[in-house]
Amino acid sequence: MTKLVICDIDATLVNEKKELTPRTKEALIKLHEKGIYFGIASGRPADELKRNKEYWDLPFDFDFVVGMNGAELWDGVHQKFYSYFMMKKEWLKETMEIMNVVKCNPMIYWDGKIRCVHIDDWMIHSASTSHKELEVVKLEDFYAHENAKIMFRMKEEDMLKAEAWVKEHPNPYYHGFKTQSTLLEFCDKRINKGYGIEKVAKHFGVKLENCVAFGDEQNDMEMLQKVGIGVCMKNGSKQVKDCGAFVSAYTNDESAVAHFIEENILKEDMDVIL
């Protein structure tokens, strides 16, 4: 029986307009009424993610929020915040040197703002979607403090070169991975959404086999593989579809999360997909 549900946001829980469809909202409300823990997971900071409750006009608070791809956890039930495995200052500096292989704009979250080298359309979009102020800083400011992660915006056509370079130059402490077609991120190797859901399940006293996770992209894979049932959107990447997850017949624009909740979790009949 499902005890806990965790959802990636972009291209999973919300549609392409970044909206929660009426059908998905209704499914989440019914999930909450059923007493099932619900939370969201993203590469964004936990403080920013918590505000989605207001943006989506949900009549209940998130039971938990997994931020920074697993490096942050907000336990809404016990009102406690946790952080795990920050990127060391020397690692942050190294990634900036590594990423000189392509033209890109580094960015980090710091003190409620987005720090970047220069302001461009990508940064303006990131600031708009995250509701954060942009701050142009010197390169050394990126590695002045430990941070959960560092991100690099680049042209879509440069992503393959950047990914290949990272793969050919592995690091024992941190790794880089694509989270959007124009965004490459680096974080501690021990951090991923799978680690985040492990921590959530432990805090709530729930077995991972009784958890359901939804996602679409590479940074969701560990989370989908850790739980009892991992669900990939129809619009998800081939790599995620091939990782052993259940593949929905619907896209995020077609309320894929709601379909699965209605057809399986609310009926408490998981046998149809096992």
Side-chain angles (χ1 to χ4, degrees):
M1 180 180 292
T2 303
K3 300 290 185 182
L4 185 150
V5 172
I6 182 170
C7 280
D8 170 55
I9 301 175
D10 295 329
T12 299
L13 184 62
V14 298
N15 60 23
E16 294 306 307
K17 295 180 179 179
K18 310 295 183 183
E19 299 170 341
L20 203 65
T21 68
R23 184 169 187 168
T24 300
K25 180 179 177 179
E26 182 62 27
L28 296 184
I29 291 173
K30 290 180 179 178
L31 200 70
H32 177 73
E33 292 173 345
K34 196 175 178 66
I36 295 173
Y37 294 121
F38 175 74
I40 52 179
S42 172
R44 299 171 188 169
D47 64 335
E48 174 186 328
L49 296 175
K50 289 163 61 179
R51 294 198 292 267
N52 282 307
K53 187 256 185 182
E54 281 75 36
Y55 301 148
W56 299 335
D57 193 29
L58 289 175
F60 60 90
D61 293 323
F62 299 118
D63 294 306
F64 62 90
V65 165
V66 174
M68 303 295 261
N69 286 320
E72 294 183 347
L73 167 61
W74 167 250
D75 181 339
V77 174
H78 303 99
Q79 294 291 295
K80 291 184 178 181
F81 173 79
Y82 304 87
S83 63
Y84 314 100
F85 302 126
M86 297 291 102
M87 284 276 284
K88 297 184 182 300
K89 292 184 283 187
E90 57 266 32
W91 300 351
L92 294 169
K93 184 178 181 181
E94 285 175 3
T95 61
M96 298 188 72
E97 295 169 352
I98 290 170
M99 291 305 293
N100 281 331
V101 67
V102 295
K103 184 178 181 181
C104 54
N105 196 355
M107 56 184 286
I108 59 172
Y109 295 111
W110 182 256
D111 195 26
K113 300 178 182 178
I114 295 177
R115 285 185 168 181
C116 59
V117 171
H118 60 269
I119 296 177
D120 54 23
D121 290 342
W122 287 324
M123 293 300 117
I124 293 173
H125 175 73
S126 294
S128 174
T129 57
S130 62
H131 303 276
K132 290 185 182 296
E133 179 184 343
L134 288 173
E135 181 181 25
V136 176
V137 297
K138 299 177 181 178
L139 292 179
E140 53 264 34
D141 291 325
F142 282 87
Y143 47 86
H145 309 275
E146 292 187 352
N147 204 299
K149 68 176 181 178
I150 184 168
M151 301 159 282
F152 295 86
R153 282 285 185 190
M154 67 195 73
K155 292 182 179 179
E156 193 167 346
E157 55 264 33
D158 289 332
M159 181 58 73
L160 284 177
K161 183 178 181 180
E163 284 187 291
W165 179 262
V166 170
K167 186 176 181 179
E168 293 166 4
H169 299 79
N171 186 281
Y173 305 111
Y174 56 83
H175 62 159
F177 49 93
K178 181 179 73 172
T179 55
Q180 296 177 23
S181 61
T182 61
L183 186 65
L184 190 74
E185 305 184 7
F186 290 86
C187 70
D188 188 296
K189 273 191 171 179
R190 294 167 289 186
I191 286 299
N192 55 64
K193 291 181 182 179
Y195 180 85
I197 188 59
E198 282 186 321
K199 288 295 184 180
V200 170
K202 184 176 181 180
H203 278 281
F204 288 79
V206 174
K207 294 180 180 179
L208 286 168
E209 63 193 62
N210 295 128
C211 299
V212 175
F214 296 87
D216 73 296
E217 195 47 86
Q218 182 181 344
N219 64 330
D220 299 315
M221 284 177 57
E222 292 89 350
M223 177 176 72
L224 301 187
Q225 293 172 321
K226 285 283 185 182
V227 298
I229 298 177
V231 183
C232 177
M233 306 296 97
K234 182 180 179 180
N235 53 280
S237 68
K238 183 180 185 302
Q239 188 176 8
V240 180
K241 291 177 179 177
D242 292 342
C243 79
F246 170 78
V247 180
S248 174
Y250 305 94
T251 68
N252 62 312
D253 273 338
E254 297 168 326
S255 305
V257 172
H259 276 283
F260 189 92
I261 291 174
E262 294 166 357
E263 297 165 10
N264 298 281
I265 301 175
L266 296 180
K267 293 181 179 179
E268 295 186 353
D269 181 11
M270 308 304 288
D271 292 336
V272 295
I273 62 167
L274 291 179

